[in-house]
Amino acid sequence: MGQAYSYQCDHCGYEENFKQGHGFLVHSQPLRDYLKQPMQIFHYKTHRLLQKLASETRPLFLKAGFQIYKCPRCKTLHDKIEVTVYDEENVVHKTEFRCSQCKSRLKLTNIHRLKKAICPKCRRRTFHRNHTYLALWD
């Protein structure tokens, strides 16, 4: 279950929705249970890494969900599926993302505190949350 937030540019009118939370197909579960599913949900590189990690003898667990990231250089928003693999004590793997434009490492952002961002279309700092729109999804 999660929420979708709508952002709109005051200058050019561009609108985009960003998801945050856990969906039906990406929920916390043992890593081996995820790999038994017939459908591959994650990017093929992430899936291959998960297969490699599952070959270890210790029991590993998978936690995944949509998160909203912001590029520290471009100030643009991105929603990505964050994948974390952990054992009973430690995080074994956590995905990291890079901006598709400047290749900077994306930083997790708090969507509730974010006032404005850079519009991906017109590149002005007029991209803000549309408070009249909020959707729940599963």
Side-chain angles (χ1 to χ4, degrees):
M1 185 103 191
Q3 295 179 339
Y5 299 94
S6 178
Y7 269 70
Q8 187 172 12
C9 179
D10 286 338
H11 180 259
C12 68
Y14 177 76
E15 190 172 343
E16 188 172 347
N17 294 326
F18 297 94
K19 296 179 194 167
Q20 186 175 32
H22 299 279
F24 176 71
L25 294 174
V26 285
H27 61 279
S28 298
Q29 59 186 313
L31 180 57
R32 289 193 174 125
D33 288 355
Y34 163 74
L35 292 172
K36 289 178 187 175
Q37 295 177 4
M39 185 176 11
Q40 181 178 325
I41 299 171
F42 305 120
H43 188 272
Y44 75 94
K45 289 182 181 179
T46 302
H47 188 78
R48 285 182 188 161
L49 177 67
L50 295 176
Q51 288 174 324
K52 181 181 174 186
L53 290 171
S55 66
E56 298 180 11
T57 56
R58 62 185 169 164
L60 296 173
F61 301 92
L62 173 72
K63 179 182 172 189
F66 286 91
Q67 295 292 343
I68 301 171
Y69 292 86
K70 185 177 179 182
C71 176
R73 187 180 295 167
C74 299
K75 308 290 189 230
T76 54
L77 298 177
H78 306 266
D79 61 344
K80 304 281 186 181
I81 297 178
E82 179 183 68
V83 176
T84 306
V85 178
Y86 58 96
D87 59 13
E88 293 180 6
E89 299 174 9
N90 302 314
V91 172
V92 177
H93 169 76
K94 189 171 187 172
T95 51
E96 293 181 352
F97 302 102
R98 295 206 174 260
C99 178
S100 57
Q101 297 165 0
C102 71
K103 306 301 182 210
S104 294
R105 184 172 287 150
L106 297 178
K107 303 286 185 191
L108 191 61
T109 188
N110 184 345
I111 196 75
H112 303 291
R113 289 187 171 181
L114 185 65
K115 301 287 186 227
K116 291 188 179 183
I118 299 292
C119 175
K121 188 173 179 183
C122 69
R123 309 296 304 157
R124 294 192 183 201
R125 194 177 175 88
T126 54
F127 201 53
H128 64 88
R129 187 169 160 198
N130 181 356
H131 289 281
T132 60
Y133 174 85
L134 176 66
L136 299 176
W137 57 272
D138 186 32

